[in-house]
Amino acid sequence: MKNKGKFAALVLLIFSIMLSACQLTTKKDVKESPAPTQGTVVDSNPVDIELLGMSSNEADLNIVRDQLTKNGFKVKLNIQADYGSYKSQQDAGNFDIALSSWTTVTGNPDYAVRSLFKTGGDYSILADPEIDKLIDAAGAQTPEQYTETYKQFEQQLVFDKAYIAPLYNSLKAQALNQDVLNKDSVRISKSRSLPWEDVDFKDTSKREKDALVLQSTMPTLTSLDPIKGNDGSINIINTNMYARLVNLTDDDKITSEGSLSLNHAIAEGNSDYYFILRDDINFAQIKNKLAADTGERVGADDVIFSLNRAKDKNSVPDHRTFTLHEHIKNVELVTDAAALEAVKLSGGSDTVKSALEQGLGTKISELVSDKKQANNKEGKYQVVKLTTTEPFPQVLNYLAHQSAGIVSKKQVESINTYDVAKFDVNKDIPYGDQNTVTEGNAYNNTLYTSGPYILSSKNDYEATFYKNPAYMTGTENEPNIANIKIRFIKDADSSLSALRSGEIHLYYGVSETKFDVVKGDSKLALQMVQSNAVSYLLFNTKNRPVAESADLRKAVLYSINQDEILAFYKGNKFKAFSTLSPIVNTGLELKADPAKAKEFLNAYKASK
Amino acid sequence: MTNPTISKQEVRFRLKSNQEYSQASFAGIVSLALGFVLLLNSYVPGDGSFKPAVLIASIAYFAFALLELAVWALIRNDLIRSGAIRRSTRMLGYVLLLSILTANVFVATMAFQLIKQKKSAAYTLAVYSLLTTLLVFAVSALNLFKPYVANGFLIGMFLLIVAAILQLAALLLVAKHADKAVMPRWMGLIAGILILTSVSGNLFALFLGLLLIAKLRDKGYSSGSKLGEVVERLSRSSTSMLGLLFILFLLTLSITSYLTFDYGLAIENNYSLILQSPELAYPLGTDNFGRDLFSRIVFGARISLAVGLLSTLIPLLIGGVLGAVSGYYGRHTDNIIMRILDILYAIPGILLAIAIIAAFGASTVNLILALSVGAIPTYARTMRANVMLVSTLEYVQAARAFGSSDRTILFKHIVPNSIAPMIVKSTLTIGTVVISTSSLSYLGLGVEPHIPEWGNILKLGSAYLETHAFTAVYPGLAIIALVLSFNFLGDGLRDALDPKLD
C-alpha cells in the first residue's frame, strides 16, 4: 500500500518536472552563439594574455579578467603580494598588461605624464618621439593653451597607439572619530597631504596631554631626507616635517598660506619666480627624545641649499626626486630691493615688489643676506629668486611637493660628510636614515626639521612626533596638538577596526567597500574628495606580442568597460581617460565596444 | 506503569543498548535546535514581522522535532515495559518519513531505522544511497528558479530521478530479501544496477552493490563480509553516518554539477546583481561581483574535495610505502629513511606549503603538492609503527618459514593488516587539509581568486561581514560542515576498524 503510494508520488513528481521542462530556458537559449561571419575563416581560440597586479587590487584584476575573458582572451593572472614583488615582476618583464596606478601628488598635468610616458622618465617604459614632443610642448604652455595639446597627447597615447588602457579615477577618502577630533579642523585635499598643524581636538584642553593617533601601513620609512623618497611611507611624514616655499590649497591652487614664504610672485616671461620669506620658523631638533628649539632660523641660505640639492642628481646617493626639479636652473638671494621694483609681474602691470608686499604689515625697507638679521616687523626681509631652464609655470607645483622641503644647510652638511661617489651603505649614515630614528643601538636622532612637527622615535609598532616649539608661534599656523603618534597597521580591515574602537583617531584611505560601515557608525565622519589617482592598464613594450601589435592592444582597450567598474564601486569611482583626467578635462572618453575589440583581435590573429 | 521487578541498572542497560532510543533523542534535539535557528532567521527585526517561507520551514522542523521526541518517549516506555519496541511505535516511523520533504535528514534517517526491526548493513546502505540521491536532486532542483539553467540540466535531473527510482526499488528489495541466508540470484542484477548508479558519486550505492555481490558469492557459508561488518558498526554511530552522508552528498553534487549547474553563474561577473540578499533564484545571495554564491559553493566543493582527497592520498601512498619499507627492513634502511623524513618533519607544514607556493606560483596542482609534501612524515611514522608491530606476529614468522619472499610477506601479509590505522588517520587529516586549502586561499596563496574555492569565497565575504553577512557565513558553514563530517567519520571508522572493540 505504502509503496504504491510512494511510487505514485514519484511518478507525479517526474511528470510535473517534465511538464515544467517545456518552459525551462537553458543557457543555450539565452546565449545564442553568434553566427560565424561569412567569407573569412576566423580562429576562435582565445588569445593568451598575462595580467600582472597586486593582491590589494584583486577586485580590479577580477573585473578586468572577466571583461577580457568575455571578449575572447584567456587571462593568466600574475598576482603579487606586495609592491616590491610586483615591481620586480614588472621590471623583469613578466607581464603583458600590468594593472598600474598613479597619483599626481603635485596637482599639475606635467607631473602626470612626464615621468610615466616620456622616453627615459623615472617610471617610463615607452619610447615614442611623438609622445615626447607633445609632453614637452604642453609643459611650456599656460592652462588655457595646454588643454588642446594634452588632448592630442591622449589621442595618441590611448586611441591611436593604445599604450595604456584607462580604468578609473578614484576618490580620496578618510574617516575620523568626530567624538574626539574637531571635524572642521581635519582637511582633505585633492593632492596635498593632510596638514597636521591644523588638526585639533574637540576638547581643546586635551591639546597638551593627549596624543593624536594616526595610521600608516608602512613601518619602514624610505628616508626622512625629503629628496630621497617619494612614496606612501614618507610623503605625509615629510610634508609635515619640512616647510616648503609654497603649498597647495585643497583644490590644487598654489598658495603661500602656511608655507615658508609670505608671498610669491611670477615675473614677466614665466622664468623668474620670487619668494619673500617669513622670519618666525626655527629648526627643531630632538633632545632626550623631546622636541627642542635649535635657535637656528630657517632662512634663504637653507632654501638655496635645499633646492640646489633637490635638482642635483649627485647631491646624495639614491636621489629619488631630481626629475621633479630638473627645471630649476638657479636659486639665488636677492639683496637689492630696487631690483624687485624693476621687474614686472607676469601678465600684469604691477611690480614684483608690490606683489610680494601684498598684505604684509610692514613694507619692505631692506633685504638682508644674513637670516639672523631678518625682522619682518622692522621691514627687514629675505627674498629668494628662482630661475627655470625654460618658461615653466608648473615649477611652483613641484615646489609644493614634499621633496622640495627645506632642510638645514648647517645640519645636513655636518651629517653628510661622505663622498657621494664612494658611498658605502654599510658604513656611511646619511641624513634622514630611518635607522637613526628607530629605537635600538643605531638610534641617534640628528633630524633638523623646518616643519610643524619632528619625529622623535619609531619602532615597528608606532612612530612618535612632537610639535616644533618654534614654528610660527602665535599665528594660526602654530600646531595645535603637541604630540602625534602614527600607528603602523598593515591591514585595511584592522585599521578600520582600530578607528572604530578608538585606538586611532583618523584613518586615511578608506576603501569604497567600507563606506557603508563608516556611514553606519555615528561616532565616525567620512570625508571624500575626488583625487588625482588614476588606475590604468600598462602594456608591456618588450618581448611580448602586445609590444609588437597595436591591434592586440586595441582589442584589450575596447574590451574595458568603465561603466561596469563604476557599477562595482557603486559610483564611488569616476571615469578616466589617462593619468591627466583628474587635472585636465580633454573631453575624450573610452567606450567599451565588443565589436571593435573582436575586429582588432581578428586583425591580430590574421597578422600572426 | 514500570515493571517493579526490573532493577534500575537493567532499565539503564535496556535504554543504553538500544540504538533507536539514542538516535531518537539525537534527531529530536537537533531538529529542535534547527527549528530555533530557522525561527530566529525568519524574524525581521526592522518591522517585527516574520518571513513566511522561513517561518513555515521552522514550524515544520518544530513539528517533526516534537513528534520525534514523542516517539522517543514511546520508545522509552516500550523498552522499560517490555524490553523491545512495539510494532505500533515502529509504524510511527512512516509518519516521520515525511520529514524528508523538509530536508530533515536527522529525523528521516531515524525514521528509516525505526521502521525496520532487524537492520542489516545492506538496508542501512540502501537507505543512505536513496537519501543521498534525493538530497542531491532537491538541491539541484533549486536551479529551476534561476533565469536559465545549464544545458545538461534536464538530462542530469532525469538521470538523478532514474537513479532515485532504482535505489528505491533496491531499498524495497533489500528490505525484503537481504536478511535471508541465501538471496535470490537476480539480486546480482540489482547489485550491478546499483554499482552503475554510483558513477554519480553516490558511493553508498557502490558499497551496497559490492556487499550484495559478496553475499551472493558467499552463499551463506560464512557469517558475512568484512565490509558488512564495518558498515554495521559504523551505522551504530549516527554522527559518523551523517558525516559520511554529507561527504558523499557533496561528492555526488560535485560530480552531477557537471550537468546540472552552470559554471558561468559561478564565475562570470554580473554587475546588475551585486550583493543581492538570498532569494529563490539565488538561494544564498550573490557576492560583490554579482556571482551566485550557491553555485560558487557547489563548485567550490569540487575543489575542496579534490584537493582534500588528493593531498591526503599522495602522502598516504608515499608515506605508507616509505614507512612500511623502513619498518620491515629496519637497521640502516630505517635509519636513513626516517632521519630524512625527520628533517622534513622539522619544517612547519603550513610554512613549507607557503614556501612551495611562493616559489612555484599559485595553482591547484602546486597547492596539492605543497600540502602533500609536508604530511608525508606523519604517515610514514604511523605505518612504520604498525608494520613493526605486525611483523613480529607468528603468522608472519610462519610465512617466512615457508620461504616467502620479503616482498610477498610485506605487501601480502603485513601491509593489509596494518592499513586500518592509516585509513583512520587519513580521514581525520582530510579535515585539516580542507582547512589548510581554505587558509591558503584566504591568504591569497591558494587557487586564483576568481575560482570558486571555499577559502576564496570566504575571503571575499569577510570584507562584507558587517553589511552583507551571508557572503561570509555560508562558505564558512560549508567549511565547518565538511571538516566536522570528516572528523565524525574518522571517529566512527576508528571504532569500526578497531579489532580490540570486537
Side-chain angles (χ1 to χ4, degrees), chain A residues 206-381:
Chain A
K206 285 181 175 174
R207 283 177 180 176
E208 291 305 317
K209 57 180 201 298
D210 279 16
L212 166 68
V213 189
L214 308 173
Q215 167 272 354
S216 166
T217 52
M218 290 173 263
T220 308
L221 309 178
T222 314
S223 173
L224 300 164
D225 185 346
I227 60 173
K228 290 187 70 173
N230 184 15
D231 58 66
S233 71
I234 47 86
N235 271 348
I236 297 181
I237 293 176
N238 283 350
T239 302
N240 285 292
M241 287 216 302
Y242 299 97
R244 290 155 304 279
L245 280 179
V246 283
N247 274 331
L248 289 179
T249 60
D250 288 350
D251 53 354
D252 287 356
K253 302 278 183 303
I254 304 289
T255 177
S256 285
E257 182 88 19
S259 76
L260 180 59
S261 70
L262 289 161
N263 270 323
H264 66 274
I266 308 175
E268 211 172 16
N270 290 341
S271 287
D272 294 336
Y273 302 80
Y274 292 88
F275 306 88
I276 182 163
L277 306 188
R278 329 176 58 104
D279 67 346
D280 55 358
I281 304 178
N282 282 3
F283 284 106
Q285 66 175 342
I286 290 294
K287 269 189 182 159
N288 300 322
K289 293 222 166 176
L290 289 173
D293 180 3
T294 58
E296 188 197 334
R297 169 104 31 103
V298 182
D301 57 336
D302 300 308
V303 173
I304 295 166
F305 171 74
S306 301
L307 296 181
N308 278 330
R309 71 196 286 269
K311 70 167 184 174
D312 178 11
K313 188 180 178 177
N314 299 316
S315 61
V316 285
D318 296 325
H319 195 319
R320 291 194 176 85
T321 55
F322 61 92
T323 46
L324 267 62
H325 304 291
E326 64 187 7
H327 284 100
I328 301 176
K329 186 175 157 199
N330 189 27
V331 192
E332 61 196 320
L333 186 69
V334 183
T335 45
D336 181 9
L340 297 178
E341 220 145 356
V343 193
K344 289 262 182 306
L345 271 186
S346 166
S349 55
D350 263 357
T351 64
V352 167
K353 181 161 184 272
S354 67
L356 291 180
E357 281 176 337
Q358 206 169 26
L360 295 187
T362 323
K363 302 286 176 214
I364 300 172
S365 62
E366 188 189 349
L367 293 183
V368 293
S369 58
D370 181 359
K371 61 187 178 189
K372 289 173 196 143
Q373 305 282 312
N375 188 332
N376 296 355
K377 279 205 186 95
E378 293 170 11
K380 293 178 182 169
Y381 292 93

Side-chain angles (χ1 to χ4, degrees), chain B residues 189-493:
Chain B
L189 183 71
I190 302 287
I193 292 173
L194 280 172
I195 292 175
L196 209 65
T197 64
S198 72
V199 292
S200 67
N202 191 342
L203 296 186
F204 284 121
L206 179 71
F207 294 149
L208 178 57
L210 293 176
L211 191 68
L212 290 179
I213 289 175
K215 211 163 177 190
L216 276 176
R217 289 180 52 176
D218 186 54
K219 294 199 177 81
Y221 292 132
S222 71
S223 61
S225 68
K226 176 99 179 143
L227 178 64
E229 255 174 63
V230 170
V231 171
E232 240 159 83
R233 275 203 229 130
L234 194 62
S235 63
R236 275 182 218 153
S237 140
S238 40
T239 45
S240 48
M241 277 316 266
L242 282 173
L244 188 58
L245 177 68
F246 185 70
I247 294 163
L248 293 187
F249 160 72
L250 278 185
L251 183 67
T252 314
L253 194 62
S254 326
I255 292 175
T256 53
S257 65
Y258 278 102
L259 285 176
T260 51
F261 279 79
D262 180 40
Y263 196 50
L265 284 170
I267 205 158
E268 281 172 20
N269 299 355
N270 185 343
Y271 300 94
S272 55
L273 288 174
I274 288 173
L275 291 168
Q276 301 279 310
S277 297
E279 51 173 310
L280 273 177
Y282 308 99
L284 305 181
T286 60
D287 70 3
N288 56 339
F289 291 105
R291 299 171 296 199
D292 177 32
L293 265 181
F294 174 60
S295 306
R296 279 179 78 73
I297 289 177
V298 167
F299 285 105
R302 214 185 265 176
I303 297 178
S304 289
L305 276 178
V307 174
L309 292 174
L310 281 176
S311 14
T312 307
L313 200 65
I314 294 173
L316 178 75
L317 290 177
I318 300 179
V321 169
L322 286 176
V325 168
S326 79
Y328 182 74
Y329 291 100
R331 292 170 59 79
H332 296 310
T333 323
D334 182 27
N335 233 335
I336 292 170
I337 294 180
M338 290 320 284
R339 293 303 81 74
I340 292 174
L341 289 179
D342 279 348
I343 295 173
L344 191 58
Y345 199 27
I347 308 170
I350 197 89
L351 215 61
L352 185 68
I354 290 177
I356 290 176
I357 288 166
F360 298 105
S363 74
T364 318
V365 177
N366 287 345
L367 184 67
I368 292 172
L369 287 179
L371 290 173
S372 304
V373 171
I376 291 174
T378 59
Y379 282 97
R381 284 196 162 272
T382 314
M383 193 63 182
R384 175 174 169 271
N386 296 331
V387 168
M388 283 170 92
L389 181 80
V390 173
S391 56
T392 57
L393 296 181
E394 278 157 0
Y395 75 89
V396 178
Q397 310 252 343
R400 199 168 285 145
F402 280 126
S404 306
S405 69
D406 278 345
R407 194 151 51 130
T408 322
I409 296 176
L410 183 56
F411 289 105
K412 254 191 135 175
H413 299 296
I414 297 180
V415 169
N417 286 295
S418 8
I419 206 85
M422 294 288 278
I423 294 176
V424 173
K425 184 182 162 50
S426 52
T427 41
L428 283 173
T429 47
I430 287 183
T432 328
V433 174
V434 170
I435 288 192
S436 305
T437 316
S438 300
S439 321
L440 286 173
S441 297
Y442 188 88
L443 294 174
L445 291 164
V447 289
E448 292 185 320
H450 62 279
I451 303 284
E453 194 279 333
W454 290 351
N456 276 339
I457 306 172
L458 184 64
K459 182 186 183 184
L460 270 191
S462 66
Y464 296 90
L465 202 52
E466 235 170 296
T467 44
H468 302 85
F470 60 87
T471 52
V473 170
Y474 294 121
L477 282 180
I479 294 174
I480 294 173
L482 183 61
V483 174
L484 261 186
S485 298
F486 273 117
N487 286 349
F488 283 151
L489 176 64
D491 262 352
L493 270 184

